[in-house]
């Protein structure tokens, strides 16, 4: 039985502010190291004091942690190495303080099983002349600490879907404070967040990150996710990336991935887009396995052919069709250039895996 924390687990943020207002020494900087745990979904963090303000992740020291407590090692040989790879401003501590996204490596200096960034970086380097751009639409759902959707009646359901998407009003949207705080925190941090909106199911939201080139897509989305969880924590709310948090006639959650190359963005690029779709059609199963942490098992609950999804078993493409695997936005069809939208990735996907497999298929012809 899952442990449900009551009101006593909440702390008074006004008391915290008293301590956070204590002046920070000029020669001391707090750097929060962030990494992906052994589930491939969970994020962990811990803080190191540095004697100067780092300007690049290479200036942050390699560190380690207990991998036996993060599903990544046995207790008898538990040290996992943290290698800083991407640096951001810290929107929680502010000032000179930083967030740093890290790669994880085992005792033998080989990547951990959940370190998908390692291979993704190699692939992006091979494809850099094509200038692959990505934009990911991250959907998520806000929950009370009891696991029930935030704002939903405790002994029932809200009205049917229809009035909630991009809605306004206390009877249409739940949890906007979290959304606004997250957006501003991402902007401060330097995350390439470019939008947000309420989604089809009440208490479900979306934010978009991009355009990002190459490996930056994964770095920025993971840090945006970390900031989301950290902001929600302050509000006493849980943000879940589960692709189907509520069974029944409710939309699931995805991470629609917009992708283009330099050739797609130039005049006549629609032909290159169509060629890419043809390549994707021949690697459908391979992509489904890469599009959620359980190699398709999570997406099975979401990609049913209903609720604005395609069937997990079939590949399809179309202009402005949200029931397809791949959507060509109508404006792209009219302009004859632009990008494609892969609607298959689940909300809990690893963006390193998603962007890697797209580049392998479309650019490297692997």
């Amino acid at each position: 039985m899952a442990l449900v924390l009551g009101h006593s687990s909440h702390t008074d943020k006004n008391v915290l502010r008293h301590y956070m207002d204590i002046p920070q020494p000029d020669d001391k900087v707090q750097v929060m190291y962030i990494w992906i745990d052994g589930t491939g979904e969970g994020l962990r963090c811990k803080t190191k004091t540095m004697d100067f303000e780092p300007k690049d992740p290479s200036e942050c020291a390699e560190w380690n942690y207990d991998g036996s407590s993060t599903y990544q090692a046995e207790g008898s040989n538990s040290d996992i190495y943290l290698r800083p790879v991407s640096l951001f401003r810290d929107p929680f501590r502010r000032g000179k303080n930083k967030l740093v996204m890290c790669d994880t490596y085992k005792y033998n200096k080989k990547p951990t099983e959940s370190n998908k960034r390692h291979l993704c970086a190699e692939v992006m380097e091979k494809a850099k002349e094509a200038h692959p751009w990505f934009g990911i639409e991250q959907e998520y759902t806000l929950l009370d600490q009891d696991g029930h959707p935030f704002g939903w009646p405790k002994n029932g359901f809200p009205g049917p879907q229809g009035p909630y998407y991009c809605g306004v009003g206390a009877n249409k949207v739940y949890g906007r404070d979290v959304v606004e705080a997250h957006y501003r925190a991402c902007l401060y941090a330097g995350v390439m967040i470019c939008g947000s909106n309420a989604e089809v199911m009440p208490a479900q939201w979306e934010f978009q990150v991009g355009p990002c080139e190459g490996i930056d897509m994964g770095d920025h989305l993971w840090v945006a996710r970390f900031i989301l969880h950290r902001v929600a924590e302050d509000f006493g709310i849980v943000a879940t990336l589960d692709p189907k948090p509520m069974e029944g006639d409710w939309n699931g959650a995805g991470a629609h991935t917009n992708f283009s190359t330099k050739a797609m963005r130039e005049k006549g690029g629609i032909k290159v887009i169509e060629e890419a779709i043809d390549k994707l059609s021949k690697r459908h199963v391979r992509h489904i396995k890469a599009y959620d942490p359980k190699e398709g098992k999570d997406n099975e609950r979401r990609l049913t052919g209903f609720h604005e999804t395609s069937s997990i078993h079939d590949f399809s493409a179309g202009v402005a069709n949200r029931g397809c695997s791949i959507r060509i936005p109508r404006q792209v069809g009219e302009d004859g250039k632009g990008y494609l939208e892969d609607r298959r990735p689940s909300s809990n996907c690893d963006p390193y895996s998603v962007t890697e497999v797209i580049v392998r298929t479309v650019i490297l012809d692997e």
Side-chain angles (χ1 to χ4, degrees), residues 34 115 119 130 133 139 187 247 256 267 318:
I34 303 165
N115 179 358
L119 278 179
W133 286 6
E139 295 177 336
L187 289 173
E247 296 299 323
H256 303 155
K267 185 176 181 180

Side-chain angles (χ1 to χ4, degrees), residues 9 19 50 52 79 92 125 165 204 218 247 254 342 346 358:
S9 67
Y19 295 97
M50 293 182 62
F52 63 94
D79 280 3
F92 305 103
E125 179 63 25
Y165 173 69
Q204 186 185 74
E247 296 299 323
D342 192 333
S346 67
I358 289 174

Side-chain angles (χ1 to χ4, degrees), residues 124-140:
M124 294 305 172
E125 179 63 25
K126 292 178 182 177
K128 64 181 180 181
E129 296 303 319
H131 296 285
W133 286 6
F134 300 91
I136 294 184
E137 306 166 25
Q138 177 67 69
E139 295 177 336
Y140 62 95

Side-chain angles (χ1 to χ4, degrees), residues 24-300:
Q24 186 169 332
D26 291 338
D27 61 344
K28 299 297 178 184
V29 175
Q30 291 175 281
V31 180
M32 183 170 283
Y33 283 55
I34 303 165
W35 69 94
I36 303 162
D37 69 18
T39 66
E41 300 180 60
L43 286 163
R44 308 292 180 111
C45 64
K46 63 177 186 172
T47 300
K48 174 188 283 287
T49 300
M50 293 182 62
D51 296 329
F52 63 94
E53 179 183 0
K55 303 295 185 181
D56 187 87
S58 64
E59 297 177 359
C60 300
E62 187 175 283
W63 207 7
N64 62 72
Y65 63 92
D66 173 17
S68 69
S69 298
T70 61
Y71 316 111
Q72 290 168 299
E74 295 181 357
S76 59
N77 191 9
S78 65
D79 280 3
I80 299 291
Y81 294 101
L82 286 169
R83 294 183 185 171
V85 294
S86 192
L87 193 66
F88 297 83
R89 293 185 293 275
D90 187 338
F92 305 103
R93 294 167 173 153
R94 306 187 194 182
K96 298 178 181 178
N97 303 306
K98 306 294 182 184
L99 305 176
V100 64
M101 189 69 199
C102 300
D103 265 354
T104 54
Y105 291 84
K106 295 184 282 190
Y107 70 94
N108 56 9
K109 302 301 179 75
K110 293 184 178 180
T112 62
E113 284 71 17
S114 57
N115 179 358
K116 308 300 183 184
R117 190 185 191 278
H118 174 72
L119 278 179
C120 183
E122 292 181 358
V123 167
M124 294 305 172
E125 179 63 25
K126 292 178 182 177
K128 64 181 180 181
E129 296 303 319
H131 296 285
W133 286 6
F134 300 91
I136 294 184
E137 306 166 25
Q138 177 67 69
E139 295 177 336
Y140 62 95
T141 307
L142 297 178
L143 308 175
D144 279 327
Q145 291 192 28
D146 62 4
H148 198 67
F150 184 73
W152 284 34
K154 290 300 183 184
N155 296 311
F157 299 91
Q161 295 182 156
Y164 310 111
Y165 173 69
C166 295
V168 178
N171 60 340
K172 302 292 195 306
V173 296
Y174 311 129
R176 192 185 294 276
D177 287 355
V178 174
V179 177
E180 294 296 334
H182 172 252
Y183 203 142
R184 187 63 59 88
C186 282
L187 289 173
Y188 178 91
V191 170
M192 292 290 288
I193 189 169
C194 60
S196 71
N197 59 270
E199 267 301 332
V200 177
M201 186 180 83
Q204 186 185 74
W205 294 83
E206 172 184 301
F207 64 88
Q208 303 92 34
V209 174
C212 296
E213 185 163 337
I215 196 67
D216 285 347
M217 183 69 257
D219 292 345
H220 281 249
L221 188 63
W222 274 114
V223 172
R225 287 174 171 178
F226 172 82
I227 293 173
L228 173 65
H229 291 305
R230 180 64 182 77
V231 166
E233 174 188 321
D234 277 349
F235 284 93
I237 294 173
V238 176
T240 178
L241 303 187
D242 188 283
K244 188 68 174 178
M246 294 300 291
E247 296 299 323
D249 195 16
W250 304 102
N251 274 34
H256 303 155
T257 301
N258 301 282
F259 166 71
S260 70
T261 61
K262 186 172 183 290
M264 292 178 185
R265 297 188 292 269
E266 294 176 340
K267 185 176 181 180
I270 191 68
K271 288 187 177 181
V272 184
I273 293 172
E274 290 169 350
E275 291 169 1
I277 292 173
D278 182 60
K279 292 177 183 179
L280 291 167
S281 72
K282 298 172 182 176
R283 296 288 188 272
H284 179 62
V285 173
R286 173 197 196 184
H287 281 252
I288 288 297
K289 287 184 176 180
Y291 283 178
D292 79 50
K294 298 180 177 63
E295 298 189 337
K297 292 298 182 183
D298 277 343
N299 246 340
E300 273 185 348

